[in-house]
Amino acid sequence: MKLRPEMTGDALTRLKRARGQLNAVIEMMENGEDCRAALTQLAAVSKAIDRAGFKIIASGMRHCGTARQEGEEPEMTEEELEKLFLALA
């Protein structure tokens, strides 16, 4: 399934935010800052990335459901989407 802007807008926003947070973590490590603060930011990055992945899968599920309702063949099967979902879990 191709990533379309209408399917990935929120996920892309989350990933861009995570990129900024990751850059901050790298700077904290390079500057020898407190490990608790760095790990807190790193946990936020990890959660943002996970949520972006789940958003993409949810959008894919909606897209494939709509295709079925319109009598079209969806780009991915439910089994393929489930496999991708479980890869994130």
Side-chain angles (χ1 to χ4, degrees), residues 3-71:
L3 294 173
R4 295 177 183 90
E6 65 273 11
M7 294 172 58
T8 60
D10 190 44
L12 187 58
T13 300
R14 289 178 186 275
L15 289 172
K16 287 179 179 181
R17 186 177 309 130
R19 179 174 52 191
Q21 290 172 312
L22 184 56
N23 287 337
V25 171
I26 292 168
E27 284 183 31
M28 295 169 109
M29 293 174 70
E30 290 174 341
N31 295 332
E33 294 183 29
D34 182 62
C35 70
R36 286 174 289 215
L39 289 172
T40 299
Q41 282 295 327
L42 195 55
V45 171
S46 179
K47 187 172 182 176
I49 291 170
D50 288 344
R51 290 184 63 96
F54 291 131
K55 284 281 191 182
I56 291 169
I57 289 173
S59 293
M61 291 171 70
R62 281 192 299 276
H63 177 73
C64 289
T66 300
R68 276 190 202 90
Q69 289 176 349
E70 294 175 355

